[in-house]
Amino acid sequence: MSGLDSKTVGAWRNGVVAAYAGSGLVFSTWVSRIPAIRDDLGLTPGTVGLILLCMSLGSFTSVAASGLVVLRLGSKLTTRVCTTIQAVGMVIMGLGASVFVNPLVVGAGLVVVGLGTASFNTASNIEGAAVERALGRHIMPRLHGSFSIGTVVGAGLGALAASVHLPVAIHVSVMAAIVWTAIWFATRHYQADSRSAQEARGQGAVQLGELDSVPGTGPIPLVRPGTTARPPAKGAGPPADPAADAAAALAAESRRLAQAKLDGKAKIAAAWRDPRTLLIGVLVLGLALAEGAAGDWVALALADGYGSSNATGALGYGIFVSAMTVGRFAGTTILDRYGRVAALRTSAALAVVGLAVFVFAPNQEIALAALVLWGLGSALGFPVGMSAASDDPDHAAARVSVVSTIGYGAFLGGPPLLGLLAEHIGVLHSLLAVLVMLVVAFMLSPVVRKPAGAVPERASVEG
């Protein structure tokens, strides 16, 4: 991104990293207290499942509108609004668990958290793709790796809070306040909205505010004091009135801004009709399902399929998450060296092999080792999909929202569908449905190739 020095770009990147890590902290904070919430409320496993579905429903509702939200508010304001919504939802959830002791209040809090989470993630992905273009190299996997680190830290703090019997309401409220404060400071360094405004500015214009953030204002043609009109040509009408010209230009700009708001909806509709965007969404769906299924079912699959203990089941998920985190941080180097298509094709192949071995392993030791391949293979799907959807900055918000909506379908529909399938063939073999989607993702890998002319912008390092 021209005109930004290395310090500015570095602060921008660090701000986006903080947003991703904060999102991971929010997620793992409440997940780590699920056992305490269950015990406090005396919930059955079925009721716990319904409460967990509340956040998915909130997220799916939010992600469906996230493109329009970001187009209207910009990624910086969207991030700040959504982190506030998340914080409010966390407090409601905590009060429901520890004060009101009511599962409906807990569920309502999780719906609010979900409403803030999905649009937050869309805005973060758009901002991350913009800083990636500014740097001229792949950093999206590391940004998603920052989310994974946030989940590990949040889970550790959650375990500590549980060990000292800290009430859920106090724990989640303190964490919500910390994340909210950190993200409000981090977003001061966001640049994607400013870049959009710069591109919208015309030559010789007086700026009355950024186009993307102040409705009804924009560039107005400059009318300098003392300007004299040229003599009218023979047969021409009366001399032009500079004030009238400025008023006409302002009216035209107002009409253009009104049309731009309508164009935002048109961009969303166009993104849903764009074949490449939809195929990227299906690819992300397959790899997101592989990621989500591990979180929901690995422990149970080890217990039911291999007779493992609950501790071994937890260890299995830890192996998967650790491998996925390593894959995301290593993914930047791999993408820079080999490109998106080769990296994602290899990633999907690893996930296919890892999941297949996990399902058909002769013993739990081999199954645990297979989780390393499964985790590594699941690492790059979502971040690379977001980068590919953002190749055209003018359509990034719309296309990222579409891909995110399709990808979130894995987290919303995957757990209950796999559960229904497991009723008939067992938890372990129900994962074969995920294997099918991974094969589809492998076949679709070429769709993430950059379109002709989509060249990443590089930061102009001054001094």
Side-chain angles (χ1 to χ4, degrees):
M1 185 177 294
S2 61
L4 297 180
D5 58 26
S6 59
K7 183 177 180 181
T8 300
V9 175
W12 180 13
R13 178 203 59 213
N14 293 339
V16 179
V17 166
Y20 275 88
S23 182
L25 273 171
V26 168
F27 176 76
S28 61
T29 292
W30 73 266
V31 168
S32 67
R33 301 309 304 271
I34 287 176
I37 294 172
R38 178 198 61 196
D39 294 341
D40 289 346
L41 301 182
L43 303 177
T44 64
T47 309
V48 171
L50 290 175
I51 286 179
L52 296 179
L53 189 60
C54 289
M55 183 174 175
S56 295
L57 290 172
S59 295
F60 196 74
T61 301
S62 176
V63 78
S66 61
L68 288 174
V69 172
V70 178
L71 282 169
R72 182 65 181 269
L73 301 181
S75 56
K76 177 177 180 177
L77 183 56
T78 298
T79 301
R80 288 183 164 184
V81 169
C82 288
T83 196
T84 302
I85 294 173
Q86 285 181 325
V88 170
M90 292 278 281
V91 172
I92 293 172
M93 183 205 65
L95 291 174
S98 301
V99 179
F100 298 105
V101 194
N102 189 320
L104 293 178
V105 178
V106 173
L110 286 177
V111 169
V112 176
V113 172
L115 288 172
T117 297
S119 291
F120 178 100
N121 290 341
T122 296
S124 296
N125 284 321
I126 291 169
E127 197 75 30
V131 75
E132 186 176 63
R133 289 193 299 272
L135 291 167
R137 57 189 176 85
H138 297 95
I139 65 163
M140 192 67 83
R142 289 184 179 177
L143 294 178
H144 284 260
S146 301
F147 172 88
S148 299
I149 289 176
T151 61
V152 172
V153 173
L157 293 174
L160 177 62
S163 68
V164 299
H165 305 289
L166 184 67
V168 173
I170 295 176
H171 174 211
V172 300
S173 296
V174 169
M175 292 305 300
I178 291 172
V179 171
W180 181 88
T181 302
I183 290 177
W184 269 76
F185 276 99
T187 51
R188 294 183 304 168
H189 303 291
Y190 277 19
Q191 300 289 334
D193 297 336
S194 299
R195 175 61 175 173
S196 297
Q198 289 168 9
E199 291 173 348
R201 291 182 180 127
Q203 294 297 322
V206 176
Q207 298 302 321
L208 297 185
E210 289 191 353
L211 195 63
D212 291 339
S213 59
V214 187
T217 66
I220 299 177
L222 184 62
V223 180
R224 300 182 185 280
T227 300
T228 57
R230 294 191 216 169
K234 186 177 181 180
D241 181 355
D245 287 346
L250 178 58
E253 182 61 23
S254 297
R255 289 193 298 270
R256 191 187 71 78
L257 287 170
Q259 183 61 43
K261 292 178 182 178
L262 295 176
D263 288 346
K265 296 181 180 179
K267 284 181 179 180
I268 298 292
W272 279 105
R273 295 191 299 268
D274 179 55
R276 178 175 180 265
T277 300
L278 295 177
L279 290 175
I280 292 171
V282 175
L283 182 150
V284 170
L285 174 67
L287 288 164
L289 183 59
E291 178 183 345
D296 293 324
W297 299 109
V298 157
L300 287 176
L302 284 168
D304 292 355
Y306 297 100
S308 303
S309 65
N310 289 339
T312 302
L315 173 64
Y317 180 62
I319 290 172
F320 175 87
V321 172
S322 298
M324 188 170 65
T325 302
V326 170
R328 283 179 168 168
F329 279 94
T332 294
T333 301
I334 294 170
L335 286 164
D336 284 339
R337 178 170 297 182
Y338 301 107
R340 287 180 188 166
V341 176
L344 201 56
R345 184 178 282 138
T346 303
S347 182
L350 284 174
V352 167
V353 173
L355 181 52
V357 172
F358 179 81
V359 172
F360 296 111
N363 54 59
Q364 75 170 14
E365 288 75 21
I366 294 178
L368 289 171
L371 287 170
V372 175
L373 297 180
W374 184 358
L376 288 172
S378 302
L380 297 182
F382 219 97
V384 173
M386 294 303 103
S387 292
S390 302
D391 279 334
D392 182 353
D394 290 338
H395 298 275
R399 290 175 179 171
V400 167
S401 73
V402 170
V403 172
S404 298
T405 300
I406 297 172
Y408 266 96
F411 298 109
L412 179 63
L417 290 177
L418 287 174
L420 291 174
L421 189 59
E423 290 287 335
H424 301 284
I425 62 175
V427 172
L428 188 62
H429 289 94
S430 71
L431 296 174
L432 292 174
V434 181
L435 190 65
V436 172
M437 291 303 301
L438 283 173
V439 172
V440 172
F442 174 84
M443 300 298 292
L444 290 176
S445 297
V447 78
V448 299
R449 182 178 287 111
K450 286 185 174 69
V455 180
E457 300 178 50
R458 292 186 178 271
S460 174
V461 179
E462 300 172 357

